[in-house]
Amino acid sequence: MGLLTIGAFAKASRLSPKALRLYDELGLLSPARVDPVSSYRLYAPEQLDQARLVAWLRRLGMPLARIEHILTLSTVAAAREVRVYWAQVEADTAARRDLATFLIDHLSWKDSAMSPTAIPLEIRYAALSDTGLVRENNQDTVHAGARLLAVADGFGPQGAPASAAAVNALKRLETDHVPAGGLLDVLAEAIEQAEQAVHGLAGTGPSSEEVGTTLTAMFWTGSQLALVHVGDSRVYLLRAGQLFQITQDHTMVQSMVDEGRLSPEEAASHPQRSLLVRALGSGADTTHDMRLHDAQRDDRYLLCSDGLSSVVPAQNIRRVLAEIGEPEQAVRELIALANGAGGPDNVSCVIADVTEPRQEP
């Protein structure tokens, strides 16, 4: 078969002539020959596979620069690169889906006041942080109040000030009036202030690029919990005896699990399981997750740093949450379990129980 005209090649490759001309100009897919008289572009039949791959990658929404890189790879490496790209697309889509769900719930609030027949709810809470058995200093910060629950796990030479700055930036939510209609804006502003506070510290430190913190917080509205999360601290929910992890770790290893490159069992013992891909700090990806959770009576929430979740199995966490009624006793037992497993890191826990208000005597 001889060379194909641009029209015939476009039809065979499912790329438009306009796209082919653009890809030629970019050096992405050059014709086999350009007629010196007519300037018509002519393509070789063996270029069809490459052109069809470009067409399919464009349908995935892949940027042209990334497609150009893929075309230089072997088929095995190209497949791996497409897998990595699509995992990122799915992660970004999940983040947008969470935000869409948040917005739908947020905009569905007609009135912040509860109906006369609704049962009022409140939270009982306790928080505790411990240095552990290996680290010299505690870089975690915890907070538990009637409206705000938070855990931050700092890292770098100023990790402790970074985690404290992030949590302190949210504390005004305890006292400020937050109308239901303004919840999203208030939370976004608070997170922005937390980012700025951590960045300010990073700019003054001797190793500014290494200073940062995770931040996982829940704001109690009276019937819902608004969650803000970045990093690898976690939130668990114990409901009807079942334990659910309701946050996603923002770590390199979790990304590899999402991409199918590691199993959850392999991830649990991976030497880089604490390597963050999102955090608050200079140069970090500060993209955070936001969600709303409808609270139910007898729900129990646990916020914890990875000093607990990385060494204490989920079934042991569930047992403590299910069997120990008082939040303060439960947080002490969880920290004891972490230290009993070697206490390799700072460990922090916040427990909040959703209950009916206690009756005054």
Side-chain angles (χ1 to χ4, degrees), residues 68-309:
E68 184 177 9
H69 171 63
I70 285 180
L71 294 179
T72 67
L73 303 176
S74 67
T75 54
V76 173
R80 182 166 56 248
E81 184 68 15
V82 172
R83 184 183 299 113
V84 169
Y85 168 76
W86 191 247
Q88 183 60 53
V89 170
E90 290 184 323
D92 293 342
T93 301
R96 291 196 295 271
R97 182 174 60 245
D98 290 340
L99 180 57
T101 301
F102 190 110
L103 285 168
I104 291 167
D105 291 343
H106 167 68
L107 295 171
S108 297
W109 290 355
K110 303 298 183 182
D111 193 332
S112 61
M114 293 182 295
S115 68
T117 58
I119 299 175
L121 297 172
E122 65 179 20
I123 55 173
R124 292 190 300 124
Y125 48 84
L128 189 61
S129 184
D130 189 82
T131 304
L133 304 181
V134 175
R135 300 292 179 90
E136 294 183 0
N137 302 307
N138 192 348
Q139 295 188 309
D140 288 1
T141 297
V142 296
H143 174 81
R147 302 178 74 185
L148 178 68
L149 313 166
V151 170
D153 181 356
F155 55 87
Q158 294 193 89
S163 67
V167 172
N168 287 338
L170 301 186
K171 284 186 178 179
R172 69 178 184 84
L173 297 175
E174 290 273 38
T175 55
D176 287 359
H177 173 64
V178 183
L183 177 62
L184 182 61
D185 292 336
V186 169
L187 287 174
E189 181 180 348
I191 288 296
E192 182 177 347
Q193 290 176 351
E195 292 175 8
Q196 292 173 354
V198 175
H199 289 168
L201 282 170
T204 62
S207 303
S208 58
E209 72 280 0
E210 297 179 355
V211 176
T213 185
T214 71
L215 180 62
T216 300
M218 302 191 83
F219 177 71
W220 174 245
T221 70
S223 60
Q224 293 179 309
L225 280 161
L227 167 67
V228 176
H229 168 67
V230 58
D232 64 350
S233 296
R234 290 183 178 179
V235 179
Y236 292 96
L237 166 63
L238 183 75
R239 175 175 287 176
Q242 298 296 311
L243 185 68
F244 305 94
Q245 181 183 331
I246 61 175
T247 52
Q248 177 88 346
D249 293 346
H250 299 147
T251 61
M252 180 64 70
V253 166
Q254 184 60 51
S255 298
M256 294 170 72
V257 172
D258 296 339
E259 294 164 9
R261 295 160 61 187
L262 282 179
S263 69
E265 293 74 22
E266 292 170 329
S269 58
H270 196 281
Q272 293 183 311
R273 61 185 178 276
S274 297
L275 183 61
L276 296 172
V277 295
R278 293 196 221 168
L280 301 185
S282 180
D285 179 356
T286 60
T287 305
H288 54 271
D289 299 336
M290 294 180 67
R291 298 189 187 94
L292 281 176
H293 287 268
D294 287 316
Q296 297 181 12
R297 187 181 63 183
D298 299 328
D299 279 352
R300 170 167 274 192
Y301 289 86
L302 166 67
L303 290 72
C304 65
S305 63
D306 69 332
L308 177 73
S309 57

Side-chain angles (χ1 to χ4, degrees), residues 298-328:
D298 299 328
D299 279 352
R300 170 167 274 192
Y301 289 86
L302 166 67
L303 290 72
C304 65
S305 63
D306 69 332
L308 177 73
S309 57
S310 64
V311 296
V312 178
Q315 62 266 28
N316 293 351
I317 293 175
R318 193 206 71 82
R319 176 183 56 78
V320 171
L321 295 177
E323 295 179 1
I324 299 180
E326 286 300 316
E328 183 172 352

Side-chain angles (χ1 to χ4, degrees), residues 2-22:
L3 297 179
L4 302 174
T5 65
I6 190 171
F9 191 77
K11 184 176 181 180
S13 65
R14 299 181 181 177
L15 288 168
S16 69
K18 180 179 179 180
L20 288 172
R21 286 190 287 269
L22 173 62

